[in-house]
Amino acid sequence: MTALNEIIINGVPQEGGRKIKAQIESDLQGDLARPNYATTVEWVSAYQTRTGLKDNSVILGDEPPVYGGDGKGASPQELLLTSIGNCLIATFVGGLSAAGISIKQLAVDVSGQVNFAAAFGVEKGNPGFFEIDAVVRIQTDADADEVEALLQRLYPTAPIPATITQPTPINLRFDHV
């Protein structure tokens, strides 16, 4: 719920980010500063998976037919690219709104080439993406150079891109049930 005198820009309170920042500063070890996210991905059949989210929506995963799947869901690569794009948009909307810049259009095209030759053991190397490209398409009434400079400053604060551009350990454990 927003206060009557609160300014809403791009559907979010202009001062919302500053208020959250103040709350985080007051409790650096709290849930707001260090939230825990969790999900469970369940195998359905062949390469198909089902992921339940906290709002009871479901994401279906699958490999494309060319790799043995049925193409009945997003591939893991598409899900990663989607996460990057979603995070960039959330980061940019928050920062642009705080700066009082109204967005007319915002989209992020995210793409990359994966080294499946390494994934299938045909060659040595990293089986992941060689690199990931993100193209931000934005329309505002603000000066283009000013907007681009702001987005460049905001980019390092986006958690998902930061997670994949720096070493982040994955602690793998097995529970046989």
Side-chain angles (χ1 to χ4, degrees), residues 23-67:
Q23 289 175 305
I24 290 171
E25 287 173 337
S26 72
D27 185 6
L28 291 176
Q29 298 304 313
D31 290 340
L32 196 57
R34 300 182 187 278
N36 186 45
Y37 288 87
T39 192
T40 299
V41 179
E42 295 179 299
W43 173 69
V44 176
S45 176
Y47 292 114
Q48 296 172 17
T49 60
R50 179 184 307 115
T51 305
L53 303 178
K54 65 180 178 259
D55 67 353
N56 295 320
S57 62
V58 174
I59 296 175
L60 299 178
D62 198 359
E63 292 290 344
V66 69
Y67 294 112

Side-chain angles (χ1 to χ4, degrees), residues 46-47 62-71 75-77 113-117 119-120:
Y47 292 114
D62 198 359
E63 292 290 344
V66 69
Y67 294 112
D70 290 326
S75 72
Q77 295 77 19
Q113 186 178 34
V114 176
N115 187 355
F116 271 14
F120 280 86

